[in-house]
Amino acid sequence: MASADVPRHNDNLYLVWNGHTKDEFEAMHRQAHELDRSGKFEDAEAKFREALEGLEHVLSPTHNKTNTVAYHLAEFLANQARMTDADTVLNWMGEKHFEEWGMSHKKTITHLLHVSDMFHSWSRSEDAISLLSRAMARYENVLKSTPENDNGEDSDASTVVEPTGNTSSRNLRPRRSSTIIEPNDDNPNNPRYAEYQLGLAIALVKAHDATANLLLQNLIDKCEEHPKELAVQILDARTTLVEHYQRLGESEKTETAIQEAASSFW
């Protein structure tokens, strides 16, 4: 494991934060949803943020329960037409995942793919594609890093997230990046890299982008050079290609893709 991907866990083992326990913060999360449903939006936001800050400290910033609250807060803000504030929450989450797990960890990839799905649900397909393009470019930099320039940080840290300088969930400030970097097909035998490419292809499919088939076919070709190591990625890519043609209404190409998928495994 490269030093850029060594998990950086929080050494503080808090049982209580600001006079509240984990169970109480989880109760605040439930209260936030109740307040939201009741139309008490200011009170709901306050509860979401209090629950998030508490779980950040008594669990960790990237614990699954913390993630759930943060995603719900971002959804809440988006539903209030406060997209910049929603993005700020997601930026904070991304920063914490990169700091603790690095770019190649499954938790980081899962987070980025989830954010991409959220962007699609908010009719922001271009942002979903941009996010995954930049994530893949950043991961390339990690793979290309050498012992001479590897100082324990991911190279080009601003490719996906711009750190705010204040990492508390209570002090999130908007920072945006609009850089779009085209992916390439380096490191095809790396499962994590293949997952980034597949995530980008899925984002293109959801955006009804006709170029998705080129990326998917290229990914399939490269993965099939390593069928044992990348069997799961091959199956996922072929399944996504079928879905892509179905979305475009290309019946003949859909049938061909299905047949090719079947023949590659049977």
Side-chain angles (χ1 to χ4, degrees), residues 123-249:
S123 300
R124 294 172 56 185
S125 295
E126 289 186 4
D127 287 338
I129 294 168
S130 173
L131 171 71
L132 294 177
S133 294
R134 290 181 285 123
M136 193 157 61
R138 178 172 174 175
Y139 185 48
E140 289 175 6
N141 288 334
V142 173
L143 292 176
K144 294 174 182 177
S145 64
T146 62
E148 287 75 15
N149 62 22
D150 189 351
N151 59 3
E153 300 290 338
D154 287 345
S155 55
D156 192 14
S158 63
T159 305
V160 178
V161 158
E162 295 180 320
T164 64
N166 187 334
T167 57
S168 170
S169 61
R170 186 173 285 274
N171 296 285
L172 304 175
R173 293 184 296 162
R175 296 291 295 273
R176 294 293 301 273
S177 173
S178 59
T179 306
I180 299 178
I181 301 176
E182 293 298 324
N184 60 47
D185 58 0
D186 292 340
N187 309 295
N189 63 330
N190 186 303
R192 294 292 183 257
Y193 188 80
E195 288 175 16
Y196 273 118
Q197 281 204 315
L198 181 60
L200 175 58
I202 291 173
L204 291 169
V205 168
K206 291 181 177 179
H208 299 278
D209 191 319
T211 63
N213 68 302
L214 298 177
L215 180 58
L216 283 166
Q217 193 58 62
N218 179 67
L219 177 59
I220 291 168
D221 291 344
K222 293 297 183 180
C223 287
E224 287 185 339
E225 295 176 4
H226 309 273
K228 292 183 179 180
E229 297 90 342
L230 301 176
V232 173
Q233 287 76 14
I234 294 170
L235 177 59
D236 287 343
R238 287 198 173 279
T239 300
T240 303
L241 184 60
V242 170
E243 179 186 350
H244 175 55
Y245 287 137
Q246 287 177 329
R247 284 173 177 257
L248 296 178

Side-chain angles (χ1 to χ4, degrees), residues 29 33 62-76 78 86-87 89-91 93-94 97-98 105-125 127-129 131-132 135 160 195-196 198-200 202-203 206:
H29 180 210
H33 285 292
T62 61
H63 190 280
N64 288 342
K65 291 185 177 180
T66 310
N67 287 343
T68 297
V69 177
Y71 292 137
H72 287 172
L73 173 58
E75 287 281 3
F76 168 81
D87 285 356
V89 175
L90 298 177
N91 267 8
M93 294 182 70
H97 277 76
F98 303 145
H105 196 279
K106 186 70 174 179
K107 286 180 71 71
T108 303
I109 298 173
T110 299
H111 164 69
L112 291 170
L113 295 179
H114 186 79
V115 173
S116 175
D117 285 341
M118 293 176 75
F119 282 163
H120 281 294
S121 72
W122 298 340
S123 300
R124 294 172 56 185
S125 295
D127 287 338
I129 294 168
L131 171 71
L132 294 177
V160 178
E195 288 175 16
Y196 273 118
L198 181 60
L200 175 58
I202 291 173
K206 291 181 177 179

